[in-house]
């Protein structure tokens, strides 16, 4: 039966970290409490953008592969194995693996999980939704993307949330243009989401990405003006990744210090691309 608008997840059992062959280059933060301070900025040369695009394409294709396996009865742990193996096969490192101690190669956020869900022995059921977030690191550059998948058949309310969250990302991308402040992206997303009464998560944002997994640049998904007034420039690379909910934008954190859930346990969806600012707007760097 289709699910209602609230979830009831409980933490599952998390298995050991998966091994990565020694031939694959690790990000500098692996094995450390956190990444080194980043000061190199968010502008990239065409040559560097090509490398981010390569990593982004691998991440996008990994998400496609995982999405093909999403069905009732599969565990998020099994989905993690599929994503991990795809990245390894393409000589890319799973950027989340070992990032600030994160134990898995993908994030799998089910139903009321806003983001950063840890794959475990949770079994997906008909009517669930699951967001698959994968970042690939290759040739010294990260490419970051995510998509929400419907497990079997969900309620119309949930199906619409997923479709409209995807569209909110499209509208955020269309707002990108050199000379504009980054807060126009959030204005475009929130003005669309408000038409349907959705909550727009504020405290988890888009970010600069490329040389660093998270550069420090913040891309809000709500109308944050006059804050977040960084001006977009040609060659600037960052993610846009709106999280919309059927209820509140407020959230709670599980004891694992990663899993973020809506405070009212309302269902939430998310979509993400890494983009580069161009003379004419934006180019998506995370297409399969």
């Amino acid at each position: 039966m289709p699910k209602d608008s609230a979830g009831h997840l409980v933490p599952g059992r998390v298995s050991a970290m998966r091994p990565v062959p020694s031939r694959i280059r690790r990000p500098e933060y692996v094995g450390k409490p956190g990444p080194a301070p980043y000061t190199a900025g968010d502008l990239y040369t065409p040559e560097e953008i090509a490398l981010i695009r390569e990593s982004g394409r691998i991440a996008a294709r990994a998400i496609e592969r995982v999405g093909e396996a999403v069905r009732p009865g599969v565990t998020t742990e099994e989905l993690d194995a599929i994503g991990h193996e795809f990245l390894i096969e393409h000589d890319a490192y799973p950027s989340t693996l070992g990032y600030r101690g994160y134990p898995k190669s993908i994030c799998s956020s089910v139903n009321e999980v806003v983001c950063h869900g840890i794959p475990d022995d949770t079994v997906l059921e008909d009517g669930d939704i699951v967001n698959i977030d994968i970042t690939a690191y290759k040739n010294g550059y990260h490419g970051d993307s995510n998509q929400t998948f419907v497990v079997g058949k969900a309620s119309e309310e949930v199906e619409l949330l997923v479709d409209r969250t995807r569209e909110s990302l499209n509208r955020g991308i269309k707002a990108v243009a050199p000379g504009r402040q980054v807060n126009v992206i959030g204005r475009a997303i929130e003005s669309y989401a408000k038409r349907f009464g959705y909550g727009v998560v504020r405290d988890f944002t888009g970010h600069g990405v490329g040389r660093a997994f998270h550069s420090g640049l913040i891309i809000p998904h709500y109308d944050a003006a006059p804050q977040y007034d960084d001006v977009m420039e040609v060659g600037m690379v960052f993610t846009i990744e709106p999280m919309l909910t059927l209820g509140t934008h407020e959230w709670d954190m599980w004891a694992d210090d990663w899993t973020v859930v809506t405070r009212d346990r309302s269902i939430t969806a998310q979509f993400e691309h890494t983009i580069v600012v161009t003379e004419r707007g934006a180019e998506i760097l995370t297409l399969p």
Side-chain angles (χ1 to χ4, degrees), residues 21-271:
S22 58
R23 72 174 191 277
I24 295 177
R25 178 178 172 182
R26 273 88 169 137
E28 56 81 21
Y29 52 74
V30 174
K32 301 176 183 177
Y38 179 76
T39 58
D42 295 287
L43 296 179
Y44 292 86
T45 67
E47 293 76 19
E48 291 173 318
I49 291 166
L51 294 174
I52 299 172
R53 189 185 295 109
E54 180 181 356
S55 296
R57 183 176 293 118
I58 292 170
R61 292 173 62 201
I63 292 168
E64 275 193 339
R65 179 69 60 85
V66 173
E68 291 168 358
V70 169
R71 65 185 185 280
V74 74
T75 66
T76 53
E77 164 75 14
E78 291 173 297
L79 299 181
D80 181 74
I82 293 167
H84 179 89
E85 290 306 319
F86 187 92
L87 294 179
I88 298 309
E89 288 168 9
H90 292 82
D91 293 322
Y93 186 90
S95 299
T96 57
L97 188 65
Y99 178 77
R100 299 187 184 276
Y102 186 85
K104 289 294 175 181
S105 300
I106 73 172
C107 296
S108 55
S109 300
V110 179
N111 292 345
E112 71 266 36
V113 180
V114 175
C115 56
H116 307 156
I118 299 174
D120 57 21
D121 61 357
T122 296
V123 178
L124 297 180
E125 299 178 4
D126 186 59
D128 286 341
I129 62 172
V130 58
N131 179 272
I132 302 299
D133 193 331
I134 297 181
T135 307
Y137 178 77
K138 187 173 183 178
N139 299 318
Y141 294 87
H142 301 269
D144 186 2
S145 186
N146 73 53
Q147 288 190 49
T148 297
F149 297 93
V150 176
V151 184
K153 175 64 176 175
S155 68
E156 182 182 17
E157 182 181 38
V158 171
E159 296 263 8
L160 285 172
L161 174 70
V162 172
D163 291 343
R164 290 165 176 168
T165 304
R166 183 188 295 109
E167 175 61 18
S168 78
L169 171 59
N170 294 338
R171 290 180 182 235
I173 293 170
K174 287 175 183 174
V176 172
R180 291 181 174 176
Q181 295 179 350
V182 298
N183 55 36
V184 305
I185 297 168
R187 186 176 308 137
I189 290 167
E190 185 172 47
S191 65
Y192 175 73
K194 271 186 169 179
R195 287 162 46 181
F196 312 104
Y198 295 149
V200 182
V201 174
R202 296 179 167 218
D203 296 335
F204 299 89
T205 68
H207 53 88
V209 67
R211 303 177 196 97
F213 193 176
H214 299 87
S215 73
L217 174 66
I218 292 174
I219 310 298
H221 302 122
Y222 65 101
D223 189 354
Q227 293 180 296
Y228 305 111
D229 59 356
D230 298 88
V231 175
M232 291 181 262
E233 301 177 55
V234 173
M236 183 181 284
V237 176
F238 52 81
T239 72
I240 305 174
E241 46 186 297
M243 294 148 260
L244 305 186
T245 80
L246 290 177
T248 185
H249 69 271
E250 297 179 328
W251 53 274
D252 294 322
M253 181 81 75
W254 278 6
D256 60 21
D257 283 333
W258 281 108
T259 306
V260 179
V261 295
T262 50
R263 183 156 294 168
D264 59 4
R265 303 304 187 262
S266 60
I267 302 301
T268 175
Q270 182 185 18
F271 284 85

